[in-house]
Amino acid sequence: MTCLKRLVAASSGAAVVLAAATAAAQDRTPTGEPGGKDACMEILAHRGASGYLPEHTLPGYALAHGQGAAWIEPDVVLTADGVAIALHDITLDRTTNVAELYPDRARADGRHYAADFTYAEIERLSVVEALPDRYPHRTFRVPRLADVLELVDGLNRTTGRRVGVYPELKSPSVQPDLARTLLAELAGYAWPIRIQSFDDEALAALDTDLPRVQLIARPDQLTPSGLNRIASYAIGIGVPKELVFQDSAVVELAHHLGLQVHAYTLRADRVDTTFDSLAGEVAALMEAGVDAVFTDHPDQVLALVARSCDTAR
Ligand code: G3P
Ligand code: CA
């Protein structure tokens, strides 16, 4: 059973533990950012506007900013020379032409690890769209995190907006310098920042005042005690949308403990089979009270959310 299926199966118990969690919440002071009960669902650009341009590319992030996303999401890994780059996997194979340029650099498992390449070597690669029927060309390069931050900072200055950056620590257990490097890169920027990770030990241990969001990796994290532990260091949890679709009690449970709920991932070209349309998915998440949603198509989800918010007012 996959991690997602285990989580979705476990969520059916959320209603049962809600009453116990309500009692535990009486003593808690919510620790979230702006965006409370009456706020409309925030739009988190998943790997950029990755439904239109390849994930984790500077044009993809710029497009997301222009489309009105509230937050830009880069996943972050380290190169051999310690450079933080925007990349989802710790390997380069799925999203670049690394096997063509460096055919002799794979490990025994046949994969090319970012940790085995300097950034100068990675900079030579072309980003390759991983999903069929999306952007067809090899136009873009793998950016450094520093490039992403500079881009968002520049666009925030020229547009007068305060779009946030929401980086994910990828596999920090095998990248011991990742957290320190990330925090150093983020220092000095004044617009909103949140840090997320599936690794609860690494996220809890971060030496920072920046808001953190715990991505749920195990069913035990959704029990009252599990959520209470998360609430001691994080402002929210990140969950697969399917978990909310199956039992929205998880949202109520988290809210009772002062935690926001951020769901992933809405894709206009890959709508959940239990819904007729992206609008149906958006409506279900909003009805459940989800605070923010990751999407590959920020413009379409923003339009749907805005329409619902307008209707509600
Ligand atoms: O970080 C939220 C969501 O992006 C988690 O899934 O695999 O796309 O990083 P993934
Ligand atoms: Ca992510």
Side-chain angles (χ1 to χ4, degrees):
M1 185 183 272
T2 64
C3 180
L4 172 61
K5 284 179 179 166
R6 276 198 303 276
L7 279 176
V8 171
S11 78
S12 60
V16 177
V17 294
L18 179 59
T22 302
Q26 303 306 316
D27 299 330
R28 179 169 307 290
T29 302
T31 54
E33 296 173 337
K37 192 164 175 281
D38 298 325
C40 285
M41 200 161 62
E42 284 185 315
I43 308 302
L44 318 169
H46 182 245
R47 313 180 192 178
S50 56
Y52 300 102
L53 292 169
E55 65 179 64
H56 300 312
T57 58
L58 291 179
Y61 297 127
L63 183 60
H65 194 291
Q67 289 186 341
W71 297 82
I72 305 286
E73 189 224 14
D75 298 308
V76 184
V77 306
L78 290 181
T79 65
D81 49 344
V83 177
I85 57 174
L87 194 73
H88 180 272
D89 308 343
I90 60 173
T91 54
L92 293 153
D93 301 270
R94 184 179 61 87
T95 54
T96 77
N97 62 343
V98 67
E100 292 173 15
L101 260 66
Y102 302 105
D104 303 325
R105 299 278 296 278
R107 292 189 189 177
D109 63 6
R111 298 194 291 171
H112 298 76
Y113 286 77
D116 296 338
F117 294 82
T118 65
Y119 183 64
E121 292 173 322
I122 289 174
E123 208 174 12
R124 295 182 53 217
L125 302 175
S126 296
V127 172
V128 177
E129 172 59 56
L131 291 176
D133 307 321
R134 284 194 173 177
Y135 189 82
H137 306 298
R138 298 183 174 189
T139 314
F140 310 113
R141 305 292 181 192
V142 177
R144 300 175 306 164
L145 177 65
D147 301 324
V148 180
L149 299 175
E150 186 174 286
L151 174 76
V152 174
D153 185 66
L155 285 171
N156 279 345
R157 290 171 188 269
T158 54
T159 62
R161 297 180 62 214
R162 281 174 54 81
V163 173
V165 171
Y166 194 153
E168 179 182 346
L169 289 166
K170 281 294 185 190
S171 305
S173 61
V174 297
Q175 305 189 92
D177 294 331
L178 179 59
R180 178 185 52 75
T181 304
L182 174 65
L183 292 178
E185 299 257 358
L186 294 172
Y189 287 111
W191 27 258
I193 295 169
R194 293 172 181 154
I195 302 175
Q196 51 167 332
S197 185
F198 282 103
D199 188 320
D200 52 353
E201 285 186 23
L203 197 68
L206 274 187
D207 183 17
T208 182
D209 293 329
L210 292 171
R212 285 166 266 182
V213 173
Q214 180 65 58
L215 302 174
I216 299 300
R218 307 182 309 274
D220 67 282
Q221 292 175 300
L222 292 174
T223 63
S225 64
L227 288 170
N228 261 313
R229 177 178 177 276
I230 291 171
S232 69
Y233 61 85
I235 63 148
I237 58 172
V239 298
K241 63 184 180 183
E242 292 84 357
L243 191 145
V244 177
F245 295 154
Q246 187 192 71
D247 186 355
S248 63
V250 67
V251 180
E252 197 178 345
L253 175 58
H255 285 174
H256 272 282
L257 296 173
L259 290 165
Q260 297 183 26
V261 178
H262 301 177
Y264 59 87
T265 301
L266 292 182
R267 297 182 166 103
D269 54 357
R270 285 162 175 78
V271 172
D272 186 281
T273 52
T274 57
F275 292 89
D276 291 338
S277 65
L278 181 67
E281 289 189 287
V282 168
L285 294 179
M286 293 189 73
E287 175 67 24
V290 164
D291 302 281
V293 64
F294 291 89
T295 178
D296 293 2
H297 298 90
D299 59 338
Q300 296 186 52
V301 175
L302 180 59
L304 291 165
V305 168
R307 195 178 309 158
S308 297
C309 289
D310 288 346
T311 304
R313 284 186 184 126

